Amino acid sequence: MNTIVRPSETAREVVLRFAGDSGDGMQLTGGQFTTTSALIGNDIATFPDFPAEIRAPAGTLPGVSGFQVRFSAYDITSPGDAPDVLVAMNPAALKVNYKDVKPGGIIIVNVGNFGAGDLKKAGYEQSPLETAELARWQVVQVDLNKLTIEAVKDLGLDPKASLRCKNFFALGMTYWLFSRPLEPTLKWITDKFKKDEKVAEANRRVLKAGWNYAETVELFHARYEVPSAHLPKGRYRNIMGNEALALGLVAGAKLSGLKLVLGSYPITPASDILHQLAAYKNYGVVTFQAEDEIAAIGAAIGAAYAGELGVTTTSGPGVALKSEAINLAIMTELPLVIVDVQRGGPSTGLPTKTEQADLLQAMYGRNGESPLPIVACSSPADCFDAALEACRLAVKYMTPVMLLSDGYVANGSEPWLLPKIDALKPFPATFATDPAGFMPYRRDETTLARPWAKPGTPGLEHRIGGLEKQDVTGAVNYEPGNHERMVKLRAAKVAGIADALPLAEPSGAPSGKVLVLSWGGTAGSVHAAMARIDAKALGVGWVHLRHLNPFPKNLGDLLKRYDRVLVPELNLGQLSRLVSGEFGIPTIRFNKVQGRPFTTTEVADRIVRCVEEGK
């Protein structure tokens, strides 16, 4: 008997997307593929795409859940534009996703879910597998349902329990297709289902069956190998944005010498930060799941008043509810970190989709003149550093700080180079202890921060609350001149942070035709776009902002070195408004509000067009 040897091809990168019902385990499947790829040394970037409805009817378009992973042999910053391979578990998943696949790409379809009822729920009158609709792609038809049940038939599981494993059949096939080892996932299955050996064995069998099926049946023309990426030396782990942000908050508390106290109310897509921090009690972390958003931030402010690092986590709707309490923290000048993981709005909007539309809310969404520092995360791994920075600013300047993440950054993942502990610089909090000459609003000459006095310290009793404070003494004061002075002092304190921030330095051309100015989660797609074009030859520079209030001190002068300023944002032009208003420089808005991040192609094409238009 002759063994058929199929060719093996080497690829620099592959984009793979799993799609199915929200109950099909697509996030789990994509997560396992991601972890395995990270373990063998690929660079990775992921884009989970959750249904916006909690219980959308099974098999319908609103219920489709997706997970895209890009794995490569070189450093990458985005999850890729178009999948090379799509795994579609039902007609709805196929319909929602197939047009994104690269022409000539592979579409693996679970025909076990292509009955008349399945097609009808997805809006198909006729199966697309029987028409020319999918002629541009390599379509691989596999009855995952039948093959899964066959693999576990002697374990005594009912059909429903058996079919829960079918995602691992698809995973096994893709492991074979891209030369991934089974061992990491087999170990995960054993650990995950150690209390139910029958379920563990079913998942192990189905994973291996998927691999063996792809190995023995000629479904694919070739196998593919993606070599390990040559990344900077060090110890890496795969990390999601919310997870990195939680670790950054813990590190910030340790570096400041404070206890971290989180007051939070669950809200998509920020809830995972609460879940993560709840597991860190051994690091002195206190988590309080409040009955509502207002109680959550009230607890965090109380913790700050008591001398701890107060943190509250939420999304845009929660920030709206917290606005009065945020102003209380501004008036009392207490260190507080407010995490806003942005999502599509307004109102409930698109709760599982990404957006960058809370910038103006963070800047102005409170009554009165009430500025606060704003810091933004740019990638899943950067969430750690951004959280550290937010903690540092809050403690050093005695102010609430808004930390902006977004759904794409929060739920995405990438390799994170673990920082060396001794390289993290402490920023220890200081407390007033000497009652001689103590005044609660006497300010530090450099930072304009007021002293932090723990309640109960003898001789340091002082009044605190939301009413206007008298300069220096902190007593309630309604004098017009004092109010104006205090408003300007609080504003000057925030504005003065710019003196200690790093200057903005463009990559690409240091001056020229176009400056791309970005913030938040657009960093990955803009970075990839800049790598795709000949930026220096075109006269294109790029600055990505971490600090949005205040801006870096040299930003205004930097903008003037370019003929045009292009601002890509997942909103209708919020940073554009701030930049134009602050510096009097017109900007070119490049906006998208579809609940999805920019693709590399979208950004690269717009940059080139901006250069051409400038001619």
Side-chain angles (χ1 to χ4, degrees), residues 269 340-342 354-356 377 404-411 520-522:
D340 175 7
V341 186
Q342 301 164 94
T354 196
E355 207 161 271
Q356 289 181 287
C377 312
L404 296 179
S405 180
D406 61 58
Y408 164 61
V409 168
N411 293 316
T522 58

Side-chain angles (χ1 to χ4, degrees), residues 4 23 25 47 53 66 95 115 149 164 167 207 237 256 265 289 385 403 408 427 446 449 499 503 538 556:
I4 299 174
F47 175 43
E53 296 184 24
K95 192 171 190 177
I149 291 174
R164 288 197 191 103
N167 58 323
L207 180 70
R237 60 165 291 186
S256 64
Y265 180 74
Q289 181 174 320
D385 296 316
L403 177 57
Y408 164 61
F427 42 90
T446 302
D499 294 333
L503 297 178
L538 290 173

